Amino acid sequence: MIREDMERLEERTLSVRAQLSNNTRGRIYPQDRCSIRTEYQRDRDRIIHCKSFRRLKHKTQVFIAPEGDHYRTRLTHTLEVSQVARTIARALRLNEDLTEAIALGHDLGHTPFGHSGEKILNAIKTDGFKHNEHSLRVVDILEGEGGLNLTWETRDGILNHPKESTPCTLEGQVVNISDRIAYINHDIDDAIRAGIIDATDLPKDCIDILGDTHGRRIHNMVVDVVSSSTGKEYIQMSREVEEATEKLRSFMFDRVYMNEKSKREEKKAMHIIEQLFNYFIRHIDELPDEYLNFIESYGVEQVVCDYVAGMTDRYAIKLYESIFVPGFHIL
Ligand code: MG
């Protein structure tokens, strides 16, 4: 069987620290294995074919509902994370398929308007809202026929992708560090494109260590992670590169994520999410059927949250207009 050949290939070629697909803790609902794909390849494919994955295309990364064609969206961010993570995983002889599955699934639970949407849902929903927990809810419950039924390791990596958590597999840890490498670098690139910062504004000591172009910075960070993590039980950067990366991140916080214009846009985005949330709490009969079916099991507030969190930026804006702005709207 082709799949068994691939499992043997993993055993022969991967690091002793890699998560072998044949050693998975399995799926919530046991299933026969595929004849040609390993368990993690199958997870990856289920994620790529789900609707939430396609919606990432119209969800904000940093710039809310950007007009320009070259700004990152959640989808392109996800692809960049996957690229960085696979490069690191392959260099460390970890399981590239598991790494890819986690990377492609990690942000499925993001709200419209990026972290502004997450912030307001967290404030208004009784038991709070976290995008990583929602990513797991998407793959476990909301997608497919009662969830995508992914393996334990992919689910662990998706749930534990924020910086302060540690996934159980090195593959999951690779995705965490790759998420940071990808977003810090592409947010710099997008902020320069938008004219919010200039390349010459970047802290000089960071640039001396990390490199003076987008490509060189990613390359140096990736090479540093590989050389600092080889033979180790955890995935890390060297101290020097870690500190320079963190300093660059703080710079981005002050100058881009928290600047006046971003805060103004954030307020508008939060207003839209809050209004939609409150509206559907009062008008549950207007929820799409696929969400209505969940009310009995999860309650009104959770299901309204699922619906609102799943929206793309443009869908939320159009829906807001059709509900709250007079005129003839085409949804
Ligand atoms: Mg991410």
Side-chain angles (χ1 to χ4, degrees):
M1 209 183 265
I2 295 171
R3 192 241 316 144
E4 287 169 348
D5 287 344
M6 275 198 264
E7 288 169 352
R8 277 191 286 274
L9 191 66
E10 284 185 1
E11 274 168 42
R12 279 207 312 275
T13 57
L14 295 187
S15 151
V16 289
R17 295 175 188 82
Q19 172 66 46
L20 302 182
S21 57
N22 200 24
N23 293 344
T24 176
R25 296 196 206 178
R27 306 180 185 278
I28 300 175
Y29 310 105
Q31 267 185 316
D32 290 341
R33 295 198 176 178
C34 174
S35 61
I36 57 171
R37 293 169 301 162
T38 67
E39 289 292 79
Y40 301 137
Q41 289 173 340
R42 212 173 177 194
D43 279 358
R44 174 205 54 205
D45 297 347
R46 289 180 184 185
I47 290 166
I48 287 182
H49 289 281
C50 81
K51 286 198 292 184
S52 305
F53 185 76
R54 296 197 288 281
R55 291 202 301 267
L56 294 175
K57 178 177 162 189
H58 293 294
K59 288 194 177 203
T60 286
Q61 178 57 30
V62 166
F63 297 91
I64 293 176
E67 294 283 321
D69 288 335
H70 295 133
Y71 292 107
R72 269 71 173 189
T73 65
R74 278 282 157 211
L75 181 64
T76 56
H77 160 72
T78 295
L79 296 175
E80 291 181 33
V81 174
S82 171
Q83 180 275 313
V84 169
R86 286 175 56 195
T87 302
I88 295 172
R90 194 183 285 203
L92 293 172
R93 288 189 294 117
L94 296 174
N95 196 315
E96 200 177 329
D97 298 322
L98 172 60
T99 308
E100 187 181 18
I102 297 170
L104 295 179
H106 85 284
D107 272 351
L108 289 176
H110 258 297
T111 60
F113 312 126
H115 288 282
S116 323
E118 178 171 20
K119 215 161 137 183
I120 185 69
L121 281 181
N122 189 41
I124 57 182
K125 185 166 166 278
T126 315
D127 56 352
F129 178 90
K130 290 201 178 93
H131 80 268
N132 56 310
E133 290 171 3
H134 195 66
S135 291
L136 190 63
R137 186 171 162 78
V138 167
V139 298
D140 276 357
I141 296 167
L142 302 177
E143 275 294 342
E145 309 292 317
L148 300 179
N149 197 23
L150 304 179
T151 62
W152 189 92
E153 294 75 23
T154 302
R155 296 175 58 246
D156 164 74
I158 289 174
L159 178 65
N160 292 306
H161 82 262
K163 192 177 172 245
E164 56 284 0
S165 318
T166 309
C168 292
T169 61
L170 289 182
E171 286 80 359
Q173 292 183 34
V174 166
V175 173
N176 281 12
I177 214 161
S178 304
D179 193 12
R180 268 176 85 216
I181 293 174
Y183 83 71
I184 291 170
N185 285 295
H186 65 49
D187 289 353
I188 291 172
D189 191 48
D190 279 355
I192 293 172
R193 175 168 295 108
I196 298 169
I197 55 170
D198 191 84
T200 56
D201 298 337
L202 298 170
K204 191 173 176 309
D205 50 341
C206 297
I207 296 317
D208 288 346
I209 294 167
L210 301 173
D212 59 352
T213 65
H214 177 71
R216 275 195 276 271
R217 283 190 285 273
I218 294 181
H219 171 80
N220 288 334
M221 287 181 191
V222 166
V223 168
D224 183 73
V225 169
V226 171
S227 65
S228 309
S229 310
T230 302
K232 302 269 170 50
E233 300 298 327
Y234 37 80
I235 302 299
Q236 59 182 4
M237 284 176 169
S238 67
R239 196 152 158 203
E240 185 188 40
V241 170
E242 169 73 39
E243 281 172 7
T245 303
E246 198 46 43
K247 188 169 175 186
L248 210 47
R249 203 174 86 94
S250 310
F251 167 84
M252 289 298 287
F253 256 92
D254 297 340
R255 291 288 301 272
V256 182
Y257 306 140
M258 294 301 186
N259 78 9
E260 277 311 307
K261 173 131 174 52
S262 302
K263 280 195 211 153
R264 261 202 315 277
E265 295 308 303
E266 180 173 69
K267 269 193 193 147
K268 295 184 217 168
M270 286 165 76
H271 171 79
I272 291 182
I273 297 295
E274 188 171 13
Q275 296 303 310
L276 288 174
F277 184 87
N278 291 335
Y279 179 85
F280 284 102
I281 292 278
R282 282 182 274 109
H283 300 87
I284 49 169
D285 51 310
E286 291 179 34
L287 286 170
D289 288 345
E290 57 189 293
Y291 289 93
L292 273 176
N293 297 335
F294 284 120
I295 288 185
E296 206 180 310
S297 310
Y298 303 104
V300 170
E301 203 192 29
Q302 179 62 56
V303 173
V304 169
C305 176
D306 292 339
Y307 180 42
V308 174
M311 292 177 188
T312 60
D313 294 12
R314 59 181 199 174
Y315 183 82
I317 292 170
K318 280 185 194 163
L319 193 59
Y320 175 87
E321 284 176 350
S322 77
I323 294 171
F324 297 108
V325 181
F328 293 100
H329 300 282
I330 304 162
L331 196 61

PDB file of all heavy atoms in Angstrom, residues 74 77 81 106-107 179, ligand 1:
ATOM      1  N   ARG A  74      -5.653  37.259   5.456  1.00  0.00           N
ATOM      2  CA  ARG A  74      -5.423  36.071   6.291  1.00  0.00           C
ATOM      3  C   ARG A  74      -4.991  34.881   5.447  1.00  0.00           C
ATOM      4  O   ARG A  74      -4.249  34.026   5.911  1.00  0.00           O
ATOM      5  CB  ARG A  74      -6.703  35.660   7.014  1.00  0.00           C
ATOM      6  CG  ARG A  74      -7.016  36.380   8.236  1.00  0.00           C
ATOM      7  CD  ARG A  74      -6.238  35.960   9.456  1.00  0.00           C
ATOM      8  NE  ARG A  74      -6.288  37.088  10.350  1.00  0.00           N
ATOM      9  CZ  ARG A  74      -5.360  37.442  11.214  1.00  0.00           C
ATOM     10  NH1 ARG A  74      -4.273  36.724  11.355  1.00  0.00           N
ATOM     11  NH2 ARG A  74      -5.511  38.494  11.949  1.00  0.00           N
ATOM     12  N   HIS A  77      -1.332  35.432   4.422  1.00  0.00           N
ATOM     13  CA  HIS A  77      -0.551  35.254   5.663  1.00  0.00           C
ATOM     14  C   HIS A  77      -0.389  33.758   5.951  1.00  0.00           C
ATOM     15  O   HIS A  77       0.712  33.270   6.224  1.00  0.00           O
ATOM     16  CB  HIS A  77      -1.247  35.941   6.845  1.00  0.00           C
ATOM     17  CG  HIS A  77      -0.806  35.423   8.179  1.00  0.00           C
ATOM     18  ND1 HIS A  77       0.443  35.700   8.706  1.00  0.00           N
ATOM     19  CD2 HIS A  77      -1.421  34.617   9.090  1.00  0.00           C
ATOM     20  CE1 HIS A  77       0.565  35.096   9.886  1.00  0.00           C
ATOM     21  NE2 HIS A  77      -0.545  34.422  10.136  1.00  0.00           N
ATOM     22  N   VAL A  81       3.044  31.639   6.306  1.00  0.00           N
ATOM     23  CA  VAL A  81       3.387  30.860   7.507  1.00  0.00           C
ATOM     24  C   VAL A  81       3.713  29.423   7.103  1.00  0.00           C
ATOM     25  O   VAL A  81       4.702  28.831   7.543  1.00  0.00           O
ATOM     26  CB  VAL A  81       2.237  30.862   8.548  1.00  0.00           C
ATOM     27  CG1 VAL A  81       2.555  29.923   9.718  1.00  0.00           C
ATOM     28  CG2 VAL A  81       1.966  32.266   9.062  1.00  0.00           C
ATOM     29  N   HIS A 106      -4.212  27.131  11.311  1.00  0.00           N
ATOM     30  CA  HIS A 106      -4.048  27.858  12.576  1.00  0.00           C
ATOM     31  C   HIS A 106      -4.938  29.085  12.712  1.00  0.00           C
ATOM     32  O   HIS A 106      -5.382  29.414  13.804  1.00  0.00           O
ATOM     33  CB  HIS A 106      -2.569  28.177  12.838  1.00  0.00           C
ATOM     34  CG  HIS A 106      -2.064  29.442  12.193  1.00  0.00           C
ATOM     35  ND1 HIS A 106      -1.773  29.531  10.859  1.00  0.00           N
ATOM     36  CD2 HIS A 106      -1.814  30.663  12.708  1.00  0.00           C
ATOM     37  CE1 HIS A 106      -1.347  30.757  10.590  1.00  0.00           C
ATOM     38  NE2 HIS A 106      -1.373  31.469  11.699  1.00  0.00           N
ATOM     39  N   ASP A 107      -5.221  29.779  11.623  1.00  0.00           N
ATOM     40  CA  ASP A 107      -5.990  31.028  11.733  1.00  0.00           C
ATOM     41  C   ASP A 107      -7.438  30.913  11.250  1.00  0.00           C
ATOM     42  O   ASP A 107      -8.103  31.930  11.035  1.00  0.00           O
ATOM     43  CB  ASP A 107      -5.273  32.152  10.958  1.00  0.00           C
ATOM     44  CG  ASP A 107      -4.256  32.880  11.832  1.00  0.00           C
ATOM     45  OD1 ASP A 107      -4.241  32.630  13.048  1.00  0.00           O
ATOM     46  OD2 ASP A 107      -3.487  33.697  11.291  1.00  0.00           O
ATOM     47  N   ASP A 179       4.824  31.677  12.429  1.00  0.00           N
ATOM     48  CA  ASP A 179       3.746  32.667  12.426  1.00  0.00           C
ATOM     49  C   ASP A 179       4.348  34.038  12.735  1.00  0.00           C
ATOM     50  O   ASP A 179       4.098  35.029  12.041  1.00  0.00           O
ATOM     51  CB  ASP A 179       2.724  32.263  13.516  1.00  0.00           C
ATOM     52  CG  ASP A 179       1.416  33.021  13.421  1.00  0.00           C
ATOM     53  OD1 ASP A 179       1.175  33.700  12.403  1.00  0.00           O
ATOM     54  OD2 ASP A 179       0.611  32.928  14.374  1.00  0.00           O
TER      55      ASP A 179
HETATM   56 MG    MG B   1      -1.259  33.644  12.197  1.00  0.00          MG
END
